[in-house]
Amino acid sequence: MAQADNGRTRILDSAAAVLRQKGLAGAKLSEIAQRAGMLAPSIYHHFPSKDHLVEEVMMEGIYRNNRHIMARVEGLGAATAPIVRLRAAIVAHVDFLLAGDDYSSAVSRIFDDLPEEMRKRVLAAYSSFDNYWRDLIVAAQADGSASQALDATVVRKFLIAMLDSCASWYRPGKLGPMQIAEQAADLLLNGFAAERP
């Protein structure tokens, strides 16, 4: 049984890497199998279809990302200022996406390309991730460290969309993942304009 689990894990890891790099349309079962060290038909021993494999990668990515962000934020302690907790979540999310977690990056890259029914199931699993961000934003607004003039839902949707986009455009270069993460937090929390227009 351990051997079967190992094969399944290798397929999932391989699928996450291919989905991250090539997107949903570019992800071929033959390449996933080759990376996993097996033949393409072997995938069907573990997963009934490509869609089942993709959905499992998505669910694992959501779980990993949420767990990583919560560990970083909750590690600060409940007494930490809400805006500091929000900043920690932003930095943790971007750093995690860019530092090499294939699963989380695959979620960000292919979510919009998922078939409608799969997207609904993934969104349902995503709700705890969304709720955590909402709570961080609302707490920062409630203590006055963030603008109460902005709708928390709009802030959350723009924030997550902006952060998730980095998985599709980032290439190693001048700035590393942590530097980009810090700049994302600065942009979101401090704005871009030197003075209000």
Side-chain angles (χ1 to χ4, degrees):
M1 186 66 181
Q3 189 174 9
D5 289 344
N6 183 36
R8 182 178 178 82
T9 300
R10 283 186 292 131
I11 293 167
L12 284 166
D13 290 349
S14 175
V18 172
L19 289 165
R20 175 187 189 176
Q21 292 168 359
K22 299 196 172 180
L24 187 59
K28 306 292 182 223
L29 286 179
S30 57
E31 183 177 358
I32 292 169
Q34 183 180 12
R35 279 179 172 248
M38 57 183 62
L39 299 173
S42 302
I43 290 176
Y44 294 110
H45 177 71
H46 300 278
F47 301 93
S49 69
K50 180 181 177 183
D51 281 354
H52 282 85
L53 174 57
V54 168
E55 187 166 342
E56 194 154 333
V57 168
M58 296 295 285
M59 297 302 186
E60 180 66 17
I62 291 167
Y63 170 73
R64 287 178 180 211
N65 199 358
N66 207 18
R67 185 179 62 194
H68 177 79
I69 292 167
M70 289 177 76
R72 284 268 189 97
V73 173
E74 299 310 318
L76 297 173
T80 303
I83 200 74
V84 173
R85 290 169 58 85
L86 179 57
R87 181 182 183 86
I90 292 167
V91 170
H93 185 49
V94 173
D95 184 46
F96 197 59
L97 288 176
L98 300 185
D101 184 71
D102 289 328
Y103 288 85
S104 297
S105 295
V107 170
S108 298
R109 170 120 194 227
I110 70 169
F111 178 78
D112 289 337
D113 299 327
L114 295 176
E116 187 60 31
E117 287 304 311
M118 186 189 304
R119 187 177 313 156
K120 287 178 186 175
R121 291 189 298 274
V122 170
L123 271 175
Y126 212 71
S127 64
S128 65
F129 180 80
D130 271 350
N131 291 340
Y132 190 72
W133 282 99
R134 182 204 59 218
D135 293 347
L136 291 170
I137 291 163
V138 168
Q141 289 177 315
D143 86 338
S145 56
S147 173
Q148 294 179 359
L150 299 173
D151 181 82
T153 300
V154 172
V155 171
R156 176 179 50 82
K157 288 189 178 290
F158 272 108
L159 184 144
I160 292 172
M162 186 185 99
L163 298 180
D164 282 351
S165 74
C166 70
S168 65
W169 57 256
Y170 173 72
R171 301 292 176 271
K174 180 179 162 188
L175 299 177
M178 185 54 78
Q179 292 167 306
I180 291 174
E182 293 288 351
Q183 287 197 14
D186 286 343
L187 177 61
L188 286 160
L189 300 177
N190 303 328
F192 179 69
E195 294 181 18
R196 285 209 174 268

